[in-house]
Amino acid sequence: MIFISNHLNSLVSLIIPVKNEGQHIQNTIKSALEVRTNYSFEIVVVDDNSSDGCCEFLNNYSSAIQIKLIKSKGIGAARARNLGAKNSSGEYLIFCDAHVCFEDFWIEGLLQPIHDGIADGTTPGIADIERPYYPGYGQTLNKHLGVEWQVEKTDPFPTAVLPAGCYAVSRATFFDIGGFDKGFQVWGHEDVEISLKMWLFGYTCYVQPSVTILHIFRTKTPYPLKYEHVYFNMLRMVYSHFKKERIYKFREIIGNHYLSRVEPWVLKSGVLEQRKLYIARRKYNDDWYMDKFSIDF
């Protein structure tokens, strides 16, 4: 497919959080630099305290290539992405995992719905690198607030969740909504929260099915991750955005064992103050979001 844009003079920032990615981050950057695009772009790598030296190879790259290496001290996926955005220069931001491969003119395709005024944030089809012909197209939520992939449609279409594996947004929109949740821990549901926030604040999230990237889906993370981290993020998201009945429902889903560990931590994180700010800011409520995407929660 040929994409025509009047925004080709705009700089794009490709932001990649990294933690113990081994060879994967080298392959991801190599792919980004080799595929064709008419856009000027920079790559912002945030090395979040890797212990495997996976980003040392960046010291050998030519200064002519716009690659910025930012180092952080174990701040987690959400805040690492925010740090990358803060240190970026692009008018458009594309957040990607450190274990993906791209195709020719993927940037053009991914940004097209934003330029056309159809969407404020976009995601491509994302396929397992072992099964490249069966991509998922955005995500929705199930009755436990877990994510589920969606099937293909021909044209760009709205999605409940923009997977963080590849997510594009204008700089203005990203900073207007406050970026990824600054209180999130380690990893988990940061993409769900920012997508939900975009919709509730009046922005739109779409899948661009004409673009596909390949992704390595791992069975475990290359860094320590506990259930408490994921439940903390999910409960913080629920407290930030949902009505009381949904908060109670999710507390039951977690169960007393984890709730007793996580909820005091969440409540001390400033989430109730954030809730007030978000409710005052939003254009739609969580009932609207659940109805729009037929989510049974």
Side-chain angles (χ1 to χ4, degrees), residues 30-75:
K30 184 173 183 288
S31 176
L33 295 176
E34 287 183 347
V35 297
R36 291 182 293 170
T37 179
N38 292 312
Y39 275 96
S40 296
F41 67 95
E42 64 174 2
I43 300 175
V44 182
V45 175
V46 182
D47 183 359
D48 192 28
N49 203 31
S50 296
S51 59
D52 66 349
C54 61
C55 292
E56 290 180 2
F57 74 100
L58 291 172
N59 296 325
N60 299 322
Y61 266 86
S62 167
S63 60
I65 300 173
Q66 293 193 57
I67 300 180
K68 300 176 183 176
L69 175 60
I70 312 298
K71 294 194 175 184
S72 54
K73 298 182 179 180
I75 59 177

Side-chain angles (χ1 to χ4, degrees), residues 133-192:
Y133 301 110
Y134 301 95
Y137 294 92
Q139 294 173 331
T140 189
L141 301 174
N142 61 29
K143 62 182 180 180
H144 301 293
L145 291 188
V147 295
E148 296 181 351
W149 289 93
Q150 300 173 123
V151 298
E152 181 181 13
K153 296 182 181 179
T154 304
D155 299 316
F157 64 95
T159 182
V161 177
L162 298 167
C166 189
Y167 153 59
V169 65
S170 73
R171 183 182 198 84
T173 297
F174 181 80
F175 284 102
D176 181 59
I177 63 173
F180 291 90
D181 192 304
K182 301 174 183 64
F184 270 27
Q185 303 296 313
V186 187
W187 177 91
H189 265 53
E190 59 270 4
D191 46 3
V192 178

Side-chain angles (χ1 to χ4, degrees), residues 74-175:
I75 59 177
R79 284 182 283 180
R81 289 184 171 94
N82 287 342
L83 182 60
K86 181 180 178 181
N87 285 275
S88 70
S89 303
E91 183 179 350
Y92 298 95
L93 311 178
I94 303 179
F95 298 89
C96 287
D97 284 345
H99 36 271
V100 296
C101 294
F102 308 101
E103 63 183 11
D104 287 341
F105 303 113
W106 71 282
I107 296 178
E108 281 85 341
L110 198 55
L111 296 184
Q112 192 72 54
I114 298 175
H115 294 155
D116 291 345
I118 297 171
D120 297 299
T122 57
T123 186
I126 300 178
D128 189 329
I129 201 165
E130 301 293 334
R131 302 176 71 243
Y133 301 110
Y134 301 95
Y137 294 92
Q139 294 173 331
T140 189
L141 301 174
N142 61 29
K143 62 182 180 180
H144 301 293
L145 291 188
V147 295
E148 296 181 351
W149 289 93
Q150 300 173 123
V151 298
E152 181 181 13
K153 296 182 181 179
T154 304
D155 299 316
F157 64 95
T159 182
V161 177
L162 298 167
C166 189
Y167 153 59
V169 65
S170 73
R171 183 182 198 84
T173 297
F174 181 80
F175 284 102

